Amino acid sequence: MVAAAMALRRGPCHRMLRLAGARGGLPWPGLGGGRAAAAGWGRPGPGGEVQYCAELVRKRDYEGFLCSLLLPAECRISAFALRAFNVELAQIKDSITQKTTGLMRMQFWREAVEDIYCDNPPHQPVATELWRAVKRHNLTKMWFMKIIDEREKNLDDRAYCNIQELEMYAENTQSALLYLTLEMLGVRDIHADHAASHIGKAQGIVTCLRATPYHCTRQKVFLPMDICMLHGVSQEDFIRGKQEKNARSFSKKVPVKAYPAFFCTVALDDYLYNMRKVDFNIFHPSLQKKSTLLPLHLYIRSWKKTY
């Protein structure tokens, strides 16, 4: 049992953390009938869409909520809408018992995005606020569709075949969110996009690790099979409890205006640092707690104008 525990700590988790650190440049230190019913939402009172989105993000994506608060005032409301959209999609997988239901909800959002770009958003709070964000910032439709398509493919309960498959999922979800955030900030820059790609992949890897204890309680493991096999660790071991460039190397070329989009690296730093402190034991109780110092760390990084 001791050997199995050491394999878990020094094996795939350790390797994935190194990959995440490389990706993000981390120094080791998400009522009615018809389509609305398919989406599964409760409609707020008149003019309450902003509050609805902000509260949804605060409850389901606290780190994203804090990062959104640090964006320029003209972008915050749009950021809440964007992250609320991501939360709506992310929670579909865990809220369904049949894939068919999940496909219906994904189709609702696919049609909602199409209607948003036709200036005819459905009467759903997140969709309404997302439509306003698209109008304000001329956001690219392609990124929304990539997020929906990738989330839909992920409805299948299976592990990633390899780390590349996980990175592709992260690129089309986490990185796509960052591309849209850059657009909200008025940043269209190849160096910022390059950094967003790496940071999004790092976030995807870390998110996969952080969710492992929860998934194990449901008898599921989604860690890349190639890494697990490389270290001789099976999915049963987890259930029982038992390469690229540094993204910060682009910081000299990335416009300072883009930095607020990348404050999510603060939370990644915090998790990776704490992971090391507990010897890469992803089941350690301390890793399941919110960081009380995260708001302070975010503020300091914002004040220093760095990421």
Side-chain angles (χ1 to χ4, degrees):
M1 179 62 75
V2 174
M6 290 302 295
L8 287 173
R9 296 181 187 182
R10 294 298 185 186
C13 296
H14 192 181
R15 184 182 175 92
M16 284 183 67
L17 280 168
R18 292 181 63 189
L19 283 166
R23 288 295 183 202
L26 309 174
W28 286 96
L31 230 37
R35 296 196 306 171
W41 52 271
R43 191 173 179 183
E49 290 88 359
V50 175
Q51 291 81 358
Y52 180 94
C53 291
E55 185 64 12
L56 179 61
V57 176
R58 187 187 67 81
K59 288 181 177 179
R60 303 302 299 268
D61 180 14
Y62 182 65
E63 293 168 0
F65 175 78
L66 293 177
C67 290
S68 298
L69 291 176
L70 294 174
L71 292 175
E74 64 274 15
C75 298
R76 288 175 203 151
I77 292 176
S78 298
F80 286 138
L82 176 59
R83 288 194 171 271
F85 165 76
N86 185 55
V87 167
E88 290 278 7
L89 293 176
Q91 65 188 5
I92 289 175
K93 184 174 181 177
D94 290 333
S95 65
I96 61 172
T97 56
Q98 294 184 331
K99 184 179 177 181
T100 303
T101 305
L103 292 173
M104 289 174 59
R105 294 187 180 182
M106 290 296 180
Q107 184 60 25
F108 164 83
W109 284 107
R110 187 173 287 107
E111 293 177 5
V113 170
E114 292 286 358
D115 290 343
I116 282 170
Y117 280 85
C118 292
D119 283 334
N120 184 34
H123 296 296
Q124 198 273 2
V126 175
T128 299
E129 204 53 45
L130 200 62
W131 167 69
R132 292 171 181 153
V134 168
K135 299 291 285 185
R136 285 189 203 106
H137 309 288
N138 192 27
L139 301 178
T140 302
K141 176 182 173 183
M142 173 185 68
W143 299 124
F144 291 107
M145 290 306 192
K146 279 185 175 292
I147 295 171
I148 295 170
D149 291 343
E150 199 66 34
R151 293 283 189 187
E152 182 175 278
K153 287 190 291 185
N154 197 242
L155 289 176
D156 293 317
D157 276 345
R158 65 176 184 82
Y160 299 100
C161 292
N162 49 52
I163 192 67
Q164 290 77 23
E165 192 173 285
L166 172 55
E167 289 178 344
M168 180 60 68
Y169 173 77
E171 168 70 23
N172 289 330
T173 53
Q174 303 292 349
S175 296
L177 282 175
L178 293 179
Y179 298 145
L180 287 165
T181 303
L182 288 173
E183 290 186 350
M184 286 192 299
L185 291 168
V187 176
R188 296 178 186 268
D189 177 88
I190 188 171
H191 302 296
D193 287 346
H194 203 168
S197 176
H198 288 285
I199 291 170
K201 289 174 182 176
Q203 193 164 15
I205 292 172
V206 170
T207 298
C208 183
L209 284 170
R210 293 175 75 172
T212 296
Y214 166 72
H215 289 141
C216 286
T217 64
R218 302 171 68 231
Q219 306 295 299
K220 299 181 185 299
V221 177
F222 298 106
L223 297 174
M225 290 188 290
D226 62 339
I227 293 181
C228 291
M229 291 174 63
L230 180 64
H231 294 278
V233 179
S234 70
Q235 292 190 352
E236 284 298 318
D237 291 326
F238 281 97
I239 292 173
R240 291 171 184 166
K242 320 184 348 182
Q243 25 182 282
E244 292 228 16
K245 295 180 181 177
N246 188 318
R248 289 199 175 110
S249 67
F250 310 130
S251 60
K252 292 182 180 179
K253 297 180 180 179
V254 172
V256 175
K257 189 178 181 181
Y259 285 12
F262 304 144
F263 286 154
C264 57
T265 58
V266 178
L268 301 185
D269 282 341
D270 187 64
Y271 181 79
L272 294 176
Y273 174 75
N274 290 330
M275 183 73 131
R276 258 193 113 182
K277 283 173 60 178
V278 297
D279 197 24
F280 309 102
N281 179 7
I282 58 176
F283 297 101
H284 197 281
S286 65
L287 297 178
Q288 309 305 314
K289 300 176 181 177
K290 287 183 179 179
S291 172
T292 56
L293 294 177
L294 181 58
L296 176 61
H297 292 161
L298 279 165
Y299 177 79
I300 292 173
R301 196 71 65 88
S302 174
W303 177 68
K304 288 184 176 180
K305 291 183 169 56
T306 185
Y307 70 88

